[in-house]
């Protein structure tokens, strides 16, 4: 190795020098020294500069790069929360996250009821039914007889994100279920079951965010903004939950361009 190359790529392993040209690069090396000499010989045969042969005709002269940083749709007058309210929600959310992390292992060891059968991570339809309930997922109404039955039929109304359930989810499952629910929300109305699960999953989402999670929560905030803009009255029961999700994405997860600034 000449001095210029050695200055750029200093030796990491001592290699015995050999002037013999009978080293066969096609043979399997018999010992570490022979392997390193083969690597050295191959490197010496490489040119210092390599130029790729590119056909200019195949290049797009006007490439399009689409990067979406679309902000949330502006809230109607009086529909967005105050900065004081947002700070309070972020503080509460931070305390909840700390509590979840502190007690995660303890709650994860609790025995689940026999009727709680958590879907496999790749079962998208199963997770939607599990979180939202068959009635919401299938767009049906609960049977009238169900209201007279003792106890709650979680299969039909959806399993709430109990700590004993949420604590069992690893980060891969959290990211995946979050994606399932946000994509479902893109074409469907906001429902309480969805809001509860989104809040719980955000509370379990580890920082710093992976790029996929970063994109997902921004998608969530924009969808919440779109639904909020369609509300006809400030008394709509969905308004507070939509404001809360936008607030957490923008303020806690620092997507400041999506924040309400009223």
């Amino acid at each position: 190795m000449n001095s210029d190359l050695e200055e750029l790529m200093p030796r990491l392993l001592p290699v015995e020098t050999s002037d013999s040209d009978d080293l066969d690069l096609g043979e399997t090396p018999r010992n570490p020294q022979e392997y390193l000499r083969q690597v050295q010989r191959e490197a010496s045969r490489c040119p210092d500069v390599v130029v790729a042969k590119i056909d200019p005709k195949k290049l797009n002269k006007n490439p399009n790069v689409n990067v979406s940083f679309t902000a949330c749709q502006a809230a109607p007058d009086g529909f967005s929360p105050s900065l004081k309210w947002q700070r309070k929600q972020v503080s509460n959310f931070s305390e909840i996250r700390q509590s979840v992390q502190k007690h995660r292992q303890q709650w994860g060891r609790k025995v689940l009821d026999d009727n709680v059968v958590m879907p496999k991570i790749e079962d998208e339809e199963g997770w939607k039914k599990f979180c939202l309930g068959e009635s919401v997922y299938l767009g049906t109404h609960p049977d009238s007889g169900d209201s007279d039955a003792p106890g709650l039929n979680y299969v039909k109304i959806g399993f709430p994100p109990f700590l004993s359930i949420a604590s069992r989810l690893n980060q891969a499952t959290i990211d995946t279920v979050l994606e399932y629910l946000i994509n479902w929300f893109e074409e469907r109305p906001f429902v309480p079951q969805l809001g509860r699960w989104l809040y719980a999953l955000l509370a379990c989402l580890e920082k710093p965010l992976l790029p996929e999670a970063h994109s997902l929560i921004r998608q969530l905030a924009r969808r919440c903004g779109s639904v909020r803009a369609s509300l006809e009255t400030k008394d709509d029961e969905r308004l507070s939950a939509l404001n809360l999700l936008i607030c957490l994405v923008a303020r806690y997860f620092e997507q400041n361009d999506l924040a309400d600034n009223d």
Side-chain angles (χ1 to χ4, degrees):
M1 183 180 291
N2 61 46
S3 58
D4 292 338
L5 288 177
E6 191 161 357
E7 182 178 352
L8 293 174
M9 298 183 294
R11 293 176 183 268
L12 296 180
L13 296 172
V15 182
E16 295 179 1
T17 57
S18 176
D19 297 330
S20 62
D21 295 330
D22 58 353
L23 186 64
D24 189 349
L25 298 180
E27 290 187 357
T28 302
R30 292 168 294 183
N31 53 60
Q33 287 292 339
E34 192 168 297
Y35 168 75
L36 292 174
R37 286 199 297 271
Q38 285 186 356
V39 173
Q40 198 174 56
R41 177 67 61 81
E42 289 178 345
S44 68
R45 294 183 176 183
C46 295
D48 294 338
V49 178
V50 178
V51 179
K53 296 180 180 180
I54 300 175
D55 185 358
K57 297 179 181 179
K58 296 182 179 180
L59 295 177
N60 186 351
K61 296 182 179 180
N62 298 303
N64 295 319
V65 179
N66 297 319
V67 180
S68 176
F69 287 99
T70 307
C72 283
Q73 191 168 344
D77 291 340
F79 279 59
S80 59
S82 66
L83 186 57
K84 179 180 179 181
W85 183 89
Q86 294 181 63
R87 288 172 176 166
K88 179 63 175 176
Q89 301 311 315
V90 170
S91 176
N92 293 343
F93 183 69
S94 180
E95 292 177 2
I96 289 174
R97 281 174 60 91
Q98 292 175 15
S99 179
V100 168
Q101 291 302 320
K102 182 178 179 180
H103 302 290
R104 187 178 185 88
Q105 291 185 351
Q106 174 187 348
W107 280 99
R109 290 193 295 265
K110 289 189 175 295
V111 178
L112 297 176
D113 293 339
D114 294 338
N115 65 331
V116 182
V117 180
M118 298 174 66
K120 295 182 179 179
I121 187 173
E122 67 274 8
D123 186 2
E124 180 174 355
E125 307 305 311
W127 273 109
K128 291 174 182 176
K129 292 179 181 178
F130 184 85
C131 299
L132 305 173
E134 290 183 351
S135 299
V136 170
Y137 178 71
L138 299 175
T140 60
H141 296 285
D143 295 335
S144 57
D146 292 342
S147 59
D148 299 327
L152 295 173
N153 188 343
Y154 287 125
V155 173
K156 291 202 171 184
I157 66 174
F159 286 89
F162 296 124
L163 279 174
S164 56
I165 294 177
S167 297
R168 282 175 160 77
L169 307 180
N170 58 32
Q171 283 301 301
T173 304
I174 290 169
D175 292 342
T176 301
V177 176
L178 194 61
E179 180 179 4
Y180 292 158
L181 296 181
I182 292 175
N183 288 340
W184 183 89
F185 181 36
E186 277 293 321
E187 298 180 354
R188 293 170 181 82
F190 186 85
V191 293
Q193 296 95 319
L194 176 66
R196 288 193 288 266
W197 267 99
L198 290 175
Y199 189 94
L201 292 171
L202 291 177
C204 297
L205 190 62
E206 291 182 354
K207 296 175 69 175
L209 298 179
L210 294 174
E212 295 81 1
H214 176 275
S215 176
L216 278 172
I217 65 171
R218 290 182 62 86
Q219 178 184 343
L220 170 61
R222 288 194 295 267
R223 174 58 179 162
C224 288
S226 176
V227 174
R228 180 179 63 180
S230 69
L231 301 181
E232 297 180 354
T233 172
K234 291 185 289 185
D235 296 327
D236 194 304
E237 60 182 8
R238 295 171 292 175
L239 179 58
S240 180
L242 294 169
N243 280 338
L244 177 58
L245 291 172
I246 295 172
C247 169
L248 296 180
V249 170
R251 301 294 184 183
Y252 185 85
F253 291 101
E254 301 175 314
Q255 306 303 305
N256 297 316
D257 59 306
L258 302 177
D260 290 312
N261 295 313
D262 290 357

